[in-house]
Amino acid sequence: MTETDKTAEASPSRPRPRRSAKLDAEDTRAQGRRRLSMVDVAAHAGVSVGTVSNVLNRPEIVARPTLLRVKAAIETLGFVPSAPARQLRAGASRSVGVVVRDIGNPFFTEVLPGIESRLSEEQLLLVVCSSNDSPEKEAHYLQTLEQHRVPGILITPAGDDIGHLVDLHRRGVGVVLLDRPGADSQLCAVAVDNVRGGELAGNHLLSLGHRRIGFLNGPPAIRQCRDRREGLLRAVRNAGLAPDEVVTEVTLPVLNAAGGEAGLDELLAMAGPPPTALFCMNDMVALGALRNLEQRGMAVPGEMAVVGYDDVEFAALLSPSLTSIRQPKQQLGRAAAELLLTDARGDAGHWHQEIVFQPELVVRASSSAPARPSAG
Amino acid sequence: MTETDKTAEASPSRPRPRRSAKLDAEDTRAQGRRRLSMVDVAAHAGVSVGTVSNVLNRPEIVARPTLLRVKAAIETLGFVPSAPARQLRAGASRSVGVVVRDIGNPFFTEVLPGIESRLSEEQLLLVVCSSNDSPEKEAHYLQTLEQHRVPGILITPAGDDIGHLVDLHRRGVGVVLLDRPGADSQLCAVAVDNVRGGELAGNHLLSLGHRRIGFLNGPPAIRQCRDRREGLLRAVRNAGLAPDEVVTEVTLPVLNAAGGEAGLDELLAMAGPPPTALFCMNDMVALGALRNLEQRGMAVPGEMAVVGYDDVEFAALLSPSLTSIRQPKQQLGRAAAELLLTDARGDAGHWHQEIVFQPELVVRASSSAPARPSAG
DNA sequence: TCCCTGGGTTGAAATGTTTCAATTGCTGGT
DNA sequence: ACCAGCAATTGAAACATTTCAACCCAGGGA
């Protein structure tokens, strides 16, 4: 009855090497043959390099027969123009960089299409980099992107200090902060009101009657974490309660499912009565927390209400369906791209803008009133 | 009681533009000032450009005081070397491209860390591109990557024909197919046995007693779709049943949750008795199907058993938890990166390899025996 | 016949690096 | 006093393109 078809370890079946096609006659590789350049094409077509360049960049100004001849030469030789050389001359690149904190978090991948849709209208290519919350890696990516002379960079900074981004911008690179307010508008920014989001979550749990709330937060170096925390605490204060009696906070080193799973262990191991509700920094953390709760056999929302953040695509279908704070991801991406375009243009008249969207509470099955509401 | 805190439309609060920092004195932008080059640094430090280059690339061979002086000049001027110029000279880039079919599918983002971990050991940067199943977009990305002279490209092709990839490889670019067998080993490839995966799913559902299986498949142009289908049909035949009586197939135009949601409508609208089980091309499709089933009020697995594919991170926590076919994603990524490194090296002795991993069935709550098993 | 016009093409400069042969300036040995 | 040997630095070529002033040539008007 039970399917036992599984392999013990997913191990590679014996790799079966074969003769490389690389050694075929028409193969260019490993033969030390120089890569083709425009002079080869020019020679083959019997024209000058200038003409080849024209064929590539302003075909309308070259005479019909010449055009055809050069195009044929390009085709038969398999010539591919060199982007570095092109760029060196032109000065600017046609790709913009997006540096996200964690590409494994669906929130970011759900923001990307919005960005991509706007930028592809301008024939710009998107280069996606994931810093994995490491400021060093982030710095490395930024350096590379700047060296590549990209016109602009969209970034969700890993750390708190954005001085290096302001410098970057000074040096002529368009910079837009993604999902993060722009410190005193030194930079363009697109964000969702995270304080409000935290407040929404807090209001929701408090109105359900919860008086002990566990908060699986991230490192305070991440701005969003501070803001959502502030919102949560504000909700508690507005309800006339004392934050440090209501909120028990755990700081996760990583904001993914594994982090959430471990964070819940830590939270429940703390002294005092356990919380009746959980607010998670994002849905991936909530996912991990739910996994942990299930293993412990704790009922959700019966023994523990759970609220996530981001409302990623799978949130509505988790078991139980996850109450979350929705962010307008597509619009966020598009607005960011739009802003980057104007910023990268670098018009003297350009003013820094900060576009702030409003989050939205989506109530689902994972949050309900506590079993025995403790007295306020 | 119900939280009504939500904003009607997540609309941006009035953008508040401020004066751009761009017009400050030390700002380089929009002033037509030429970008700094090594000659500026050289002049400022009182050395030749050759020395500046040495400071950057072989600091050990330049005398201590000179080194310091040049470094200081770089610092105070804010010089950033030009990657295009550097590359033009060097010939090769330090970034490799990864072209995936859909960055919104967690399967791909869960493969990325494996790739990234191996490549970053070689100081290579990962450039991620999402073709969104569009061969045109894929071609565009490939062209750009080739023009940038990347040493190699990892790709899950959008279409069926990989002739253009073979050509690309002939022209000297390392190419490794990701999650896709390499057609007759003309290319290196890393894959999971998709036929076997389809068979595992089929065996599982058949052994539970299902005799009418709906199959939410993708376009046959995608190799994985064909392979998993073949595996499913093989399982049916091995059970002594007629495939066309057991399997009802729907071809989804897009392999995401929206596709799965619409696909189920289509499937259930077809003539004949509805299936008792559903096999989905991937977990995102299964997610959409589950969403649809929930809206219809159909019980899972009671009225419809569901099996997904990929076993992405959230699969275990869906409602109900999703039976799926697990692929060793991390290892897949790492193996692919490893293969790309040897392929890109282009040693004459290199043989094309195809590494095939084995999938694994993970049984969870979404699949059980049908309510009234129909007779074989 | 001569000059002008203008479409088409050319040749060379310019872009910012790296690399390498040549040069400089020392130190120490004879 | 001379030279060998060595470390440090220099200058120029090379990389593959774009751009632009100059050039060529055919045709048309005077």
Side-chain angles (χ1 to χ4, degrees), chain A residues 47-48 51 54 61-63 66 88-89:
Chain A
V47 297
S48 75
T51 301
N54 284 336
I61 76 160
V62 12
T66 319
L88 172 58
R89 194 53 245 240

Side-chain angles (χ1 to χ4, degrees), chain B residues 129 160 231 237 332 339 354:
Chain B
C129 313
D160 200 24
R237 277 192 296 267
L332 196 68
L339 219 45
E354 186 162 330

Side-chain angles (χ1 to χ4, degrees), chain B residues 47-48 51 54 61-63 66 88-89:
Chain B
V47 296
S48 74
T51 301
N54 284 336
I61 75 159
V62 15
T66 320
L88 173 58
R89 193 55 242 249

Side-chain angles (χ1 to χ4, degrees), chain A residues 33-41 56 77-87 148, chain B residues 83-84 86-97 124-125 127 141-153 168 171-174 344:
Chain A
R33 219 194 288 168
R34 199 176 45 74
R35 260 205 99 101
L36 294 162
S37 80
M38 296 205 326
V39 311
D40 302 298
V41 177
L56 257 32
L77 293 179
F79 164 73
V80 177
S82 154
R86 211 171 245 234
Q87 234 170 266
H148 275 275
Chain B
R86 212 171 246 233
Q87 236 171 264
L88 173 58
R89 193 55 242 249
S93 154
R94 297 297 303 165
S95 341
V96 318
L124 288 167
L125 229 58
V127 174
Y141 276 122
L142 287 175
Q143 191 185 358
T144 308
L145 289 170
E146 184 182 8
Q147 292 186 359
H148 275 276
R149 301 289 188 262
V150 297
I153 294 176
L168 185 64
R171 272 181 257 121
V173 183

Side-chain angles (χ1 to χ4, degrees), chain A residues 319-341:
Chain A
S319 165
S321 64
L322 183 65
T323 295
S324 195
I325 308 293
R326 176 178 299 166
Q327 314 207 56
K329 309 184 202 72
Q330 174 91 14
Q331 298 150 65
L332 195 68
R334 227 185 138 81
E338 190 65 53
L339 220 45
L340 185 66
L341 287 174

Side-chain angles (χ1 to χ4, degrees), chain A residues 271-327:
Chain A
T276 61
L278 209 54
F279 175 35
C280 304
M281 250 308 282
N282 66 40
D283 287 350
M284 291 306 283
V285 169
L287 182 69
L290 286 176
R291 192 154 65 201
N292 189 329
L293 287 166
E294 188 181 17
Q295 278 159 9
R296 292 170 179 268
M298 287 180 70
V300 177
E303 294 175 78
M304 182 78 80
V306 177
V307 173
Y309 207 109
D310 291 344
D311 191 32
V312 300
E313 201 162 14
F314 63 71
L317 281 170
L318 288 182
S319 165
S321 64
L322 183 65
T323 295
S324 195
I325 308 293
R326 176 178 299 166
Q327 314 207 56

